[in-house]
């Protein structure tokens, strides 16, 4: 019998793999947090499948999402990224990635890790909305509103509440796997 999963990956191979192995798993690694921030900010206005299709290209273009290296990118590097057909060539999003790398390191200095900072928005626990129908999945919550407001205050770009909510889902701060999905229970038993 085929496993029942959330319907959003449809028949997209990369989306299925991402759903089955990464999405919703509680994340506590700063390097991965930054990768998800970059990918979610580039997704603004685009489909997640577009991002997944270009993820490896992003990884190469952005030095494996190493925020320490990205924080030092100069105009020459920005121009080379603007010529890279493997990524989304949006100057504002590229510049935001550099800005976010710098802000990310400031948060690490203040809190000891980005992970310690970001999980405060859910009280250090995964919120499970008990979703039974994808149509009832929120696009933002009070938690994503608070996260967005605080990130913006700290200088982050492309961190509106909807982007923050998608990030929280990806990073396992929110478990929005449908309750009938085989990953819902797996992710729940894997929490923190």
């Amino acid at each position: 019998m085929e496993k029942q999963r959330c319907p959003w990956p449809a028949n997209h191979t990369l989306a299925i793999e991402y759903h089955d192995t990464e999405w919703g798993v509680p994340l506590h690694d700063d390097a991965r947090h930054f990768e998800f921030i970059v990918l979610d900010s580039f997704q603004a206005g685009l489909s997640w499948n577009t991002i997944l299709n270009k993820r490896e290209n992003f990884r190469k273009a952005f030095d494996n999402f190493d925020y320490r290296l990205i924080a030092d990118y100069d105009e020459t590097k920005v121009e080379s990224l603007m010529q890279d057909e493997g990524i989304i060539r949006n100057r504002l999003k590229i510049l935001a990635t550099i800005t976010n790398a710098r802000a990310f390191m400031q948060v690490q200095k203040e809190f000891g890790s980005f992970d310690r900072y970001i999980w405060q928005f859910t009280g250090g626990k995964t919120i499970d909305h008990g979703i039974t129908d994808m149509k009832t999945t929120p696009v933002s919550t009070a938690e994503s509103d608070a996260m967005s407001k605080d990130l913006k205050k700290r200088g982050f770009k492309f961190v509106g509440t909807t982007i923050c909510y998608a990030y929280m889902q990806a990073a396992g701060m929110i478990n929005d796997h449908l309750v009938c999905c085989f990953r819902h229970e797996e992710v729940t038993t894997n929490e923190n």
Side-chain angles (χ1 to χ4, degrees):
M1 190 170 102
E2 193 172 321
K3 292 177 179 174
Q4 189 168 358
R5 67 173 51 87
C6 300
W8 61 261
N11 294 322
H12 189 270
T13 306
L14 289 175
I16 291 169
E17 182 183 335
Y18 172 72
H19 169 276
D20 290 1
T21 61
E22 290 182 80
W23 192 69
V25 175
L27 181 61
H28 295 288
D29 174 78
D30 274 12
R32 294 294 305 284
H33 277 298
F34 188 73
E35 176 180 353
F36 281 15
I37 289 169
V38 172
L39 296 176
D40 277 316
S41 66
F42 269 94
Q43 191 220 341
L46 302 168
S47 79
W48 186 243
N49 286 346
T50 298
I51 300 303
L52 287 176
N53 286 335
K54 294 179 178 281
R55 188 177 191 182
E56 288 309 311
N57 297 333
F58 273 106
R59 186 169 275 127
K60 286 182 200 129
F62 284 96
D63 290 299
N64 203 30
F65 302 109
D66 186 331
Y67 49 86
R68 292 171 295 270
L69 296 175
I70 294 168
D72 288 332
Y73 282 4
D74 59 13
E75 188 56 36
T76 303
K77 179 64 175 182
V78 171
E79 286 309 315
S80 80
L81 289 167
M82 285 298 294
Q83 302 306 313
D84 189 333
E85 294 179 7
I87 65 167
I88 291 144
R89 296 178 290 176
N90 178 308
R91 183 175 296 276
L92 290 177
K93 291 179 181 181
I94 291 168
L95 292 173
T97 300
I98 299 166
T99 298
N100 290 351
R102 294 170 183 160
F104 189 89
M105 291 192 299
Q106 282 304 119
V107 167
Q108 286 179 315
K109 272 187 198 157
E110 183 178 342
F111 290 86
S113 72
F114 186 81
D115 184 69
R116 186 172 299 133
Y117 160 76
I118 207 68
W119 277 89
Q120 73 179 331
F121 295 101
T122 60
K125 297 196 179 329
T126 298
I127 297 169
D128 187 343
H129 288 136
I131 305 290
T132 57
D133 182 345
M134 291 303 287
K135 292 185 210 110
T136 64
T137 307
V139 295
S140 66
T141 58
E143 293 84 5
S144 66
D145 291 348
M147 179 189 292
S148 173
K149 185 177 177 185
D150 200 71
L151 286 168
K152 286 176 182 175
K153 186 179 81 180
R154 294 172 183 282
F156 284 81
K157 306 287 185 206
F158 284 91
V159 288
T161 188
T162 303
I163 291 172
C164 285
Y165 190 79
Y167 167 80
M168 293 169 90
Q169 289 174 308
M173 299 171 72
I174 293 171
N175 181 0
D176 274 354
H177 283 283
L178 293 178
V179 292
C180 63
C181 173
F182 80 98
R183 287 295 287 158
H184 181 270
E185 196 60 38
E186 290 179 4
V187 168
T188 302
T189 56
N190 241 348
E191 284 178 10
N192 301 320

